[in-house]
């Protein structure tokens, strides 16, 4: 299992639009059904326009295939309209501590 943290630094007036997209029929419902996705949660900062996705996947390869699929289906253009800086994704392993 791998944990992916995706950071979306939204334009100030686009944060709610991004959250609404995630909640819609093309949003996280499709992510949760994608092969290798174990779970995904949305975190929203009350003090900024940042939205995080906390994701658990079977592997980095599963997540990267998913991201590629999303980009191939127009997500890149949508993010260009909503984000003030490029999407950031970091991968983590559980330490067992």
């Amino acid at each position: 299992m791998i944990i992916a943290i995706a950071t979306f630094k939204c334009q100030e007036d686009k944060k709610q639009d991004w959250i609404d997209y995630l909640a819609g029929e093309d949003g996280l419902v499709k992510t949760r059904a994608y092969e290798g996705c174990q779970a995904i949660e949305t975190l929203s900062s009350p003090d900024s326009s940042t939205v995080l996705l906390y994701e658990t996947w079977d592997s980095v390869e599963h997540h990267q295939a998913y991201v590629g699929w999303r980009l191939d289906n127009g997500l890149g253009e949508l993010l260009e309209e909503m984000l003030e800086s490029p999407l950031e994704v970091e991968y983590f392993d559980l330490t067992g501590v």
Side-chain angles (χ1 to χ4, degrees):
M1 179 187 79
I2 194 77
I3 296 170
I5 305 290
T7 303
F8 299 85
K9 294 180 182 175
C10 300
Q11 296 175 28
E12 194 169 315
D13 63 336
K14 298 292 185 177
K15 179 180 179 180
Q16 190 59 51
D17 292 341
W18 177 237
I19 292 171
D20 292 345
Y21 173 83
L22 294 172
E25 65 184 45
D26 287 329
L28 297 184
V29 66
K30 289 188 175 182
T31 305
R32 290 181 177 109
Y34 198 88
E35 181 181 350
C37 181
Q38 296 179 8
I40 186 166
E41 297 295 333
T42 306
L43 298 95
S44 174
S45 171
D47 299 322
S48 74
S49 61
T50 299
V51 176
L52 299 178
L53 295 181
Y54 177 89
E55 311 172 42
T56 55
W57 289 82
D58 290 346
S59 68
V60 171
E61 293 78 16
H62 280 97
H63 184 258
Q64 290 176 343
Y66 161 75
V67 171
W69 171 76
R70 281 292 194 182
L71 293 175
D72 287 347
N73 287 285
L75 185 63
E77 291 82 11
L78 179 64
L79 291 178
E80 284 181 18
E81 296 172 11
M82 293 194 179
L83 300 184
E84 65 181 33
S85 62
L87 165 65
E88 299 172 22
V89 177
E90 291 184 90
Y91 296 103
F92 298 88
D93 294 315
L94 292 175
T95 62
V97 176

